[in-house]
Every structure is written in structure tokens, then in C-alpha cells.
Amino acid sequence: MSAQRPFKPRPKKTSAPRSAAVAPLRRVLFLCSGNFYRSRYAEAVFNHQARAAGWPWRAFSRGLSTHLIGGDLSVHTRRVLLRRGIALAQTGPTRRSLTRADLASAAHVVALKESEHRPILRARFADYAPRIEYWKVHDLDAATPAETLAAIDVHVARLARKLLAD
């Protein structure tokens, strides 16, 4: 009597070769003035949700007037992210100013407050101005941190639905 070999299932055949690269992630860019508070919060929330749900998108953020602010991350942003269990690594390590290369690398661009950011973007990056989505999310001069961050949560959820539907 011959011994039977253990059953080993064959791997399923796929249409893509094994060496095929994973599709690159698309990038969404969040802009605010200092890259300190609003855009960093939007970036972290978006990235946290994208990683958890396996979205083919990642966010990054930049500022239009980073020279006006000191420090790396707003205490309000830090506090809410930590309270919600969102790792600070979901946002960049420090503030960064917007460059043409940033705009060119983004599949979608959002400026957090139209009245504040559109004039600057028109003046510095007029060729990109038509492709920027503008929100109306106030800074500390016009809203409390609770109001601002809650508004960003709503906008990020809407944006995610829009990007994933395309």
C-alpha cells in the first residue's frame, strides 16, 4: 500500500503576474495658513480613516504662510487627535510651506478657508487655482477649536465619499 501525499491546494491563478507592483496611492493635499492646526488635523483624520479602511488615498498638508506661526503642531489638534486615538504620525512631523511640486503631486487639493486662502493661491499659484476645492473652516479668530475640528470631521467624511466614488 502506498503512502498518500498530504493535500496541498494550488494557489489561485490571478490575472496579474506575481511581480506586478501595487497601484500607487493617490494623494490629497490639505492647505491652511500655518500648517499648524486645521490642515494638520484634516491630514491626520483622513490618513487614520484611509489606513483603517484600506482606501487607495493618503493625505499630506502644507501651509501658505508658515512664517506667521511658531511651533510644530497646535495644542488643540494634538489634544483631539490623542483623545480620539489617532496617532500623531498620521500627520507630518512639522509644518511645511507649499511648493509647486506639492501641488503637482496631489490628485486633489483642498484649501480649508476660501476667503483666507484663495487670494494667496491666486497670487502665488494662479495656474493651480482652478483645480482647488475650497472649504469654509474658520481659524481660532472666528470659531472655537471644538467647532473648527468638528467641521473638518464633516468635510473629511464628505471628501472621502467623493474621492472613493470617482
Side-chain angles (χ1 to χ4, degrees), residues 81-93:
L81 291 175
L82 293 174
R83 187 175 68 228
R84 291 185 56 192
I86 298 175
L88 296 180
Q90 299 292 356
T91 184

Side-chain angles (χ1 to χ4, degrees), residues 38-147:
R38 295 169 293 172
S39 60
R40 299 283 296 285
Y41 182 78
E43 173 189 14
V45 168
F46 186 96
N47 283 336
H48 176 76
Q49 294 174 359
R51 289 176 196 275
W55 300 342
W57 287 86
R58 289 301 179 270
F60 67 114
S61 65
R62 297 293 186 263
L64 299 171
S65 304
T66 57
H67 63 283
L68 298 176
I69 299 259
D72 284 324
L73 185 65
S74 161
V75 65
H76 307 296
T77 298
R78 179 184 305 275
R79 184 179 305 129
V80 173
L81 291 175
L82 293 174
R83 187 175 68 228
R84 291 185 56 192
I86 298 175
L88 296 180
Q90 299 292 356
T91 184
T94 191
R95 298 173 302 111
R96 296 196 45 200
S97 294
L98 179 65
T99 66
R100 281 195 173 280
D102 295 326
L103 289 165
S105 72
H108 194 83
V109 182
V110 174
L112 276 282
K113 187 168 180 182
E114 183 170 11
S115 63
E116 185 179 343
H117 302 128
R118 186 184 290 271
I120 297 168
L121 287 161
R122 275 190 187 151
R124 294 186 194 161
F125 304 99
D127 50 328
Y128 283 95
R131 65 174 262 223
I132 296 172
E133 177 179 343
Y134 292 93
W135 293 351
K136 186 179 180 182
V137 177
H138 299 297
D139 205 341
L140 293 171
D141 63 335
T144 67
E147 293 166 331

